Amino acid sequence: MSGRVEIEYCTQCRWLPRAAWLAQELLTTFEAELTELALKPGKGGVFVVRVNDEVVWDRRDQGFPEPTAVKQAVRDRVAPEKSLGHSDK
């Protein structure tokens, strides 16, 4: 499987560094599984992670994500057989 990840972040809140850091974490972990990772500027306090257009993390409902939680959500959709090592514990 492969997938496209989109991280939509609030420009008004200056969350680009957080979004870029999370993007780097995901690209490092899933370099063979992801076909694309997009950073999408947004407004109104948005910080949403989507995999193949499915919301897997929304700050409004779940708070800011720990990278491990997002990696698990992405893995479950693009590479369910992939071990995340210590992140799976």
Side-chain angles (χ1 to χ4, degrees):
M1 286 183 94
S2 62
R4 176 185 189 273
V5 172
E6 175 184 279
I7 301 172
E8 184 177 4
Y9 64 95
C10 180
T11 57
Q12 297 163 312
C13 302
R14 307 250 184 256
W15 288 340
L16 173 59
R18 186 184 297 251
W21 176 75
L22 184 58
Q24 179 180 322
E25 287 288 311
L26 292 173
L27 286 169
T28 300
T29 302
F30 300 105
E31 61 187 356
E33 291 84 10
L34 296 182
T35 55
E36 179 181 4
L37 194 146
L39 295 176
K40 180 180 179 182
K43 294 184 179 177
V46 68
F47 197 93
V48 174
V49 180
R50 295 179 183 89
V51 178
N52 298 326
D53 296 321
E54 175 191 354
V55 174
V56 299
W57 198 276
D58 188 332
R59 183 198 65 80
R60 289 190 180 125
D61 298 329
Q62 299 160 284
F64 275 111
E66 289 296 322
T68 299
V70 175
K71 286 179 184 181
Q72 289 169 342
V74 170
R75 184 269 318 269
D76 291 348
R77 285 153 183 88
V78 302
E81 71 290 342
K82 184 179 182 83
S83 170
L84 296 177
H86 68 277
S87 295
D88 269 338
K89 301 205 174 7

